[in-house]
Amino acid sequence: MPKLLNSKIVNDLKKIFSEELQKKVKILLFRVDDESICEYCDLTQNLLKELIDVDERIELEVYDFGKDEEMVQKYDVQRVPALIILDENGKDYGVRFYGIPSGHEFSTLIDDIVTFSKGPVPNLSPETIEQLKKIDHEVRIQVFVTPTCPYCPRAVLMAHHFALVNDNIIGEMIEANEFMELSTKFGVSAVPHIVVNEDYSFVGALPEANYLNEVLKGLKK
Amino acid sequence: MVFFDLEAKKTGPEKTEYDVIIIGAGPAGLGAAIYSGRAGLSTLVVEKNIEGGQILLTDVMENYPGYGIINSNELAQKFKEHADLFGTEFDYGEVVKLELDNENSKLVHLDNGRVYKSKVIIIATGASPRKLGVPGEDEFISKGVSYCAVCDGAFFANKNVVVIGGGDSAVDESLYLSRIVSKVTIIHRRDKLRAVKSLQEKAFKNPRIDFIWDTVVKEIKGNDKVEALVLQNVKTGKIEELPVDGVFIFIGLEPNSGIFKDFVETDENGFIITNEDMETSVKGIFAAGDVRVKSVRQVITAVSDGAIAATIAARKYFD
Ligand SMILES: Cc1cc2nc3c(=O)[nH]c(=O)nc-3n(C[C@H](O)[C@H](O)[C@H](O)COP(=O)(O)OP(=O)(O)OC[C@H]3O[C@@H](n4cnc5c(N)ncnc54)[C@H](O)[C@@H]3O)c2cc1C
């Protein structure tokens, strides 16, 4: 198998990780072996393997979506491939990727790894953090993306950083092409398309305050 | 094709004061950063998305010197790395407010709460797709209406889409879409295209691309998603309905100048007015690239604007 990450990217990653990584980061991958069910599971696993080879502070655990029921339940995994990022103590903050983080979303994954290795500390204004802390029931923010969309990483990172603030918040990247049925269900045809609690949608990589407002609107529905 | 694009964002810088702050990391901003860095000025670029700006809205570039036909992501990456060479620092966030402390101190507020200060500001925020402004357009965003073919083309595989416009972007993106969808119909309000000849020829030859001339869109219609367009022929006045699955709109640009309008002079469309040296009406504030009043909006002219802005800034304010 040819490598997914070329030597230039590997070298750039080495540099970023050596300068930025502080603590260990754990990535859980949920997958199935059947390619007819999950076209991108193998590719995603290969990608993550290449990534952990770059820096040993990144750890990978692989689970079978069909067999490892306990883990699937514990992390409330919805579909595969699924990536969940945990801090060095194994704490789950609700940061999820459904589908392969390729294209521009590869940068999002690297960004998350760096963030998690540092704590993780949300990169948000104090006002936003204060508002998010008040949320007292579960919020699922699903950010539909395509790998070629340059606006999408910002919308995903926003959801992920929201999730860091409050355990009630789950922030998910969903690669729209891989989960066409789901995309169709929510009528996604322009990305980033953000769905809050499967009920309220907005489109676009909005600035933080507006993004927060939309998420809060979705909560009230 | 699976690809991996590494535009990883390092931790925001610790410094909060710079000689020059450049807002936007498109071609103009990155061009400015190279010149500003080489001039020895401490330089911060603030970008809300990822580096490259509108370059990333198309799959290849054919007219940037030195590279022949180059993948757009790759060109964006090269620009960024070139700016890195000369010590440019980057932070990520949307600039939501500008504040003029005094002539030598301008404050830049980001949406994540961070604030930076500098003597010189270069506005390189570029432009966004202009809307048609017809009924149904806002209602059907992500329900069939799109402004980005590389982002959203995949949702229309084997479907019929319409592209509105007749310029380079409209024709270029129609060619891109023709590789994904079953049929592209270009609707243009005139009887000929404005796009460069080489693109026109490719489009005319493409069996999946049709044209409707002298026609404007009056309304976008549907129930849960786009189902039809109401069209009017501008010569005969005749109105008709065209069933479609999707609409891609490439009818021009809207400057990203909203937050600066209280400070700098703009034309009636919001483009920032500058002189030949990229100076705006405010001392120490420059504008470069698509956001300013100019007649050719391309990567090469944006980069050039950036170079001029940074060079003049270095001469005038830091000598
Ligand atoms: C579909 C399409 C195809 C094209 N094809 C070609 C081509 O083949 N050849 C060619 O030469 N040109 C092409 N162009 C035009 C070219 O891309 C633009 O002229 C050029 O990118 C303008 O550069 P810029 O830096 O001025 O602005 P942009 O490229 O628009 O960059 C502005 C940057 O500023 C950022 N920004 C905006 N507001 C803020 C804010 N408030 N805070 C922080 N950041 C902000 C944006 O995210 C963006 O990254 C094409 C354009 C389109 C849309």
Side-chain angles (χ1 to χ4, degrees):
Chain A
M1 250 258 337
K3 291 270 187 219
L4 293 168
L5 301 176
N6 62 36
S7 58
K8 177 174 181 302
I9 290 191
V10 170
N11 284 334
D12 289 351
L13 283 172
K14 276 191 184 139
K15 183 157 181 278
I16 291 170
F17 290 155
S18 74
E19 285 169 7
E20 302 278 326
L21 286 196
Q22 291 172 4
K23 301 171 193 156
K24 283 185 178 171
V25 176
K26 199 184 270 183
I27 302 176
L28 309 185
L29 169 69
F30 288 82
R31 54 160 292 145
V32 292
D33 291 335
D34 186 346
E35 214 180 318
S36 70
I37 298 176
C38 181
E39 193 187 339
Y40 286 94
C41 278
D42 281 347
L43 211 57
T44 307
Q45 186 164 350
N46 290 339
L47 173 68
L48 293 173
K49 275 190 187 150
E50 288 180 30
L51 204 56
I52 58 173
D53 282 344
V54 178
D55 197 299
E56 60 186 16
R57 284 168 292 185
I58 306 168
E59 293 172 355
L60 174 65
E61 282 174 22
V62 181
Y63 294 99
D64 188 304
F65 186 58
K67 295 178 192 140
D68 298 317
E69 275 169 44
E70 209 176 295
M71 290 301 275
V72 171
Q73 263 190 6
K74 179 173 176 195
Y75 291 99
D76 188 26
V77 181
Q78 312 268 319
R79 57 193 80 79
V80 284
L83 273 74
I84 297 171
I85 307 189
L86 311 177
D87 71 7
E88 64 165 351
N89 304 317
K91 178 169 163 45
D92 176 18
Y93 289 83
V95 169
R96 306 274 186 277
F97 289 84
Y98 287 111
I100 185 166
S102 73
H104 298 309
E105 294 311 323
F106 181 63
S107 304
T108 309
L109 173 64
I110 302 305
D111 231 294
D112 279 339
I113 290 174
V114 168
T115 300
F116 270 76
S117 87
K118 291 177 178 168
V121 183
N123 182 10
L124 300 166
S125 69
E127 295 79 28
T128 300
I129 291 176
E130 195 186 317
Q131 296 252 16
L132 289 172
K133 276 195 174 146
K134 287 189 205 146
I135 295 175
D136 58 4
H137 54 288
E138 193 176 291
V139 191
R140 188 187 296 274
I141 308 171
Q142 298 176 297
V143 184
F144 288 82
V145 306
T146 59
T148 42
C149 158
Y151 313 112
C152 290
R154 173 169 162 81
V156 175
L157 283 171
M158 197 76 84
H160 283 175
H161 282 257
F162 279 19
L164 295 180
V165 175
N166 184 329
D167 284 342
N168 288 316
I169 306 173
I170 299 171
E172 304 177 341
M173 178 209 86
I174 298 181
E175 207 281 278
N177 296 314
E178 280 174 64
F179 304 105
M180 249 327 163
E181 231 169 82
L182 197 66
S183 310
T184 310
K185 177 179 159 194
F186 292 115
V188 175
S189 79
V191 287
H193 181 128
I194 300 105
V195 178
V196 183
N197 283 351
E198 310 212 328
D199 192 33
Y200 179 80
S201 290
F202 62 99
V203 181
L206 305 179
E208 190 180 296
N210 305 49
Y211 198 111
L212 174 67
N213 264 340
E214 291 294 323
V215 168
L216 295 177
K217 267 194 228 165
L219 268 185
K220 292 203 186 87
K221 270 195 81 170
Chain B
M1 236 268 295
V2 181
F3 73 104
F4 299 95
D5 182 53
L6 182 60
E7 298 269 17
K9 307 152 181 67
K10 297 186 187 168
T11 332
E14 272 149 32
K15 251 169 57 173
T16 55
E17 245 185 281
Y18 290 84
D19 292 334
V20 178
I21 295 176
I22 298 167
I23 308 174
L30 294 172
I34 293 168
Y35 276 74
S36 171
R38 271 193 92 228
L41 307 180
S42 66
T43 307
L44 175 75
V45 176
V46 182
E47 168 59 50
K48 62 175 174 176
N49 291 313
I50 48 184
E51 295 88 9
Q54 292 171 74
I55 295 186
L56 303 174
L57 299 184
T58 189
D59 65 336
V60 293
M61 285 281 155
E62 298 190 340
N63 50 8
Y64 194 77
Y67 292 109
I69 297 171
I70 183 168
N71 173 285
S72 300
N73 293 324
E74 209 180 316
L75 185 63
Q77 185 96 30
K78 285 184 189 292
F79 282 1
K80 160 74 168 33
E81 284 167 1
H82 202 155
D84 279 339
L85 275 186
F86 302 112
T88 304
E89 294 186 39
F90 286 83
D91 195 12
Y92 296 86
E94 180 161 343
V95 174
V96 286
K97 202 172 98 188
L98 194 64
E99 205 183 323
L100 304 188
D101 229 6
N102 61 57
E103 201 172 288
N104 289 318
S105 155
K106 302 171 179 79
L107 299 175
V108 172
H109 296 257
L110 273 58
D111 66 339
N112 53 30
R114 285 198 285 277
V115 183
Y116 293 103
K117 194 172 177 175
S118 69
K119 190 169 180 184
V120 164
I121 304 268
I122 300 177
I123 301 170
T125 46
S128 303
R130 200 169 79 221
K131 291 191 167 185
L132 264 180
V134 300
E137 183 176 18
D138 287 338
E139 184 190 341
F140 290 115
I141 286 183
S142 196
K143 291 177 181 150
V145 172
S146 169
Y147 304 87
C148 175
V150 295
C151 306
D152 306 328
F155 297 112
F156 300 92
N158 307 315
K159 293 190 173 158
N160 293 332
V161 302
V162 157
V163 167
I164 316 219
D168 284 348
S169 299
V171 178
D172 208 357
E173 299 315 297
S174 296
L175 290 164
Y176 172 82
L177 287 168
S178 75
R179 306 204 296 264
I180 305 169
V181 304
S182 30
K183 201 176 102 188
V184 181
T185 306
I186 298 181
I187 298 180
H188 188 40
R189 62 193 159 133
R190 304 188 201 291
D191 60 2
K192 54 175 185 285
L193 299 172
R194 195 164 36 82
V196 292
K197 279 283 174 307
S198 67
L199 289 174
Q200 291 197 25
E201 279 162 18
K202 280 190 207 161
F204 290 136
K205 265 194 248 157
N206 189 311
R208 293 194 189 192
I209 300 180
D210 276 354
F211 296 86
I212 298 180
W213 303 107
D214 295 318
T215 296
V216 293
V217 179
K218 302 297 272 185
E219 190 185 344
I220 301 173
K221 281 172 62 168
N223 289 311
D224 295 338
K225 55 187 175 60
V226 171
E227 285 162 16
L229 300 183
V230 179
L231 305 177
Q232 179 168 39
N233 185 300
V234 292
K235 287 195 172 148
T236 63
K238 207 180 128 205
I239 302 233
E240 62 172 345
E241 248 183 63
L242 179 76
V244 293
D245 301 310
V247 195
F248 286 83
I249 299 169
F250 298 103
I251 53 159
L253 296 170
E254 189 87 56
N256 298 325
S257 61
I259 56 169
F260 310 113
K261 277 186 191 157
D262 290 344
F263 302 98
V264 298
E265 265 175 50
T266 62
D267 73 1
E268 68 279 11
N269 297 316
F271 290 98
I272 297 173
I273 296 169
T274 69
N275 63 14
E276 265 188 34
D277 289 341
M278 308 301 142
E279 293 173 295
T280 68
S281 52
V282 180
K283 260 192 146 162
I285 301 186
F286 294 74
D290 279 12
V291 73
R292 73 180 193 95
V293 177
K294 64 196 287 196
S295 38
V296 180
R297 293 198 171 83
Q298 289 283 289
V299 176
I300 188 169
T301 60
V303 170
S304 160
D305 284 1
I308 294 168
T311 305
I312 301 297
R315 273 189 208 155
K316 267 203 163 160
Y317 296 94
F318 301 98
D319 232 5

